[in-house]
Amino acid sequence: EGKVLSVFDPHAFLRAQTLLLGHAPKFMNNWSYPPQLLPWILGFGLMPYRAAFALWTAATFGLYAFAVCYRRPYPAKLTLLLLLAPASFVNLIDGQNGFLIAALLVGGLRLLDTRPVAAGILFGLATVKPQLMPSVPVLLLCGRHWRATAAAILTTALMVGLSIALFGAEAWLAYIRETIPYQTHLLERAPAADHYGIAASFVTIFMGARILGGSLAVAYGLSAVAALAALWLVIRACLRAPSAEIRNAFLLAATFIATPYAHVYDLPLLNAALVMLLADAATKDAPPTVTETLAIGAIWLLPLYAFHFNRLGLPLAPLSLVAFAAMLWLRLRRACRTA
């Protein structure tokens, strides 16, 4: 309808959703992404809602399954396992973008060592959700992947330029003026303020601290310490890991330790990490131990219990994520010693 600036106004966007759906959405009620994502979805806006929803979900899952399963044994079985994962169920029901971002990041990681320019393009496209990319610049710089870095920067610049050409600089000003402060408000307000609605779907250390009653200073402090530790280990993993599979799996796990802003619908990334872990284990004929299997199971089931325990004031998601990252780090160290 040409009302681009209204997209970034939470109240106007909520009114538009209510008119479209016939009722107000229960939890997420604002557009939280930079204007560079808008060109991707213009075509969906020209379709009937249900058809657009179905096409978006099917297309993004297809990209995700291809990125994870391409050139792996038993791709059909792997695709079925990805489809049945609880994190996938969340995206299938909500129409979220977890499949799309996972496809871009996983595809970039898998192509990095063989097709760096293509990998950089995928990383550049993934900048529509920068909070899930803290580990990527570290990987690119530590690995001296200059071609991929240049491709990522150029792709990002082109996407931003395209959004300005289509919608004008005013869209970016509205995003900075309206959307970013509103997203900050959603992140920082007390979890009980919305009866644990949006807060309950967070899986981060930041929100775990808030749910336990920690102040903003405590939450930001813990999150910053965790982020620094995670990124330091990512540097060491990039410099030492003998296997790209275990390096990439650890990088994806570290992403959720390093970011203060991630939801259960972002967890398809960790299902990809599970596939990478199992692929590495099969290559080395080193199946997961009992402890590792428990950590894998906790991550696989995380969307099923994170929301409910958050609402009970018991944020188990950050503990599960830290345990999973620690398990991957120990496996990586063992691989370094035997390489």
Side-chain angles (χ1 to χ4, degrees), residues 14-96:
L14 176 58
R15 288 194 296 271
Q17 288 183 95
T18 303
L19 180 63
L20 176 67
L21 300 175
H23 58 84
K26 188 174 182 181
F27 292 128
M28 306 302 286
N29 57 16
N30 70 297
W31 176 264
S32 59
Y33 305 101
Q36 70 207 64
L37 183 58
L38 292 178
W40 296 41
I41 62 169
L42 284 177
F44 292 95
L46 301 176
M47 300 171 60
Y49 176 73
R50 294 181 186 275
F53 187 100
L55 178 61
W56 167 265
T57 304
T60 55
F61 177 78
L63 292 171
Y64 168 58
F66 180 76
V68 176
C69 302
Y70 180 64
R71 289 191 174 179
R72 294 196 189 279
Y74 312 110
K77 292 181 179 179
L78 272 181
T79 299
L80 180 60
L81 287 174
L82 292 175
L83 183 62
L84 296 176
S88 294
F89 183 75
V90 173
N91 279 271
L92 291 170
I93 294 298
D94 289 351
Q96 267 293 347

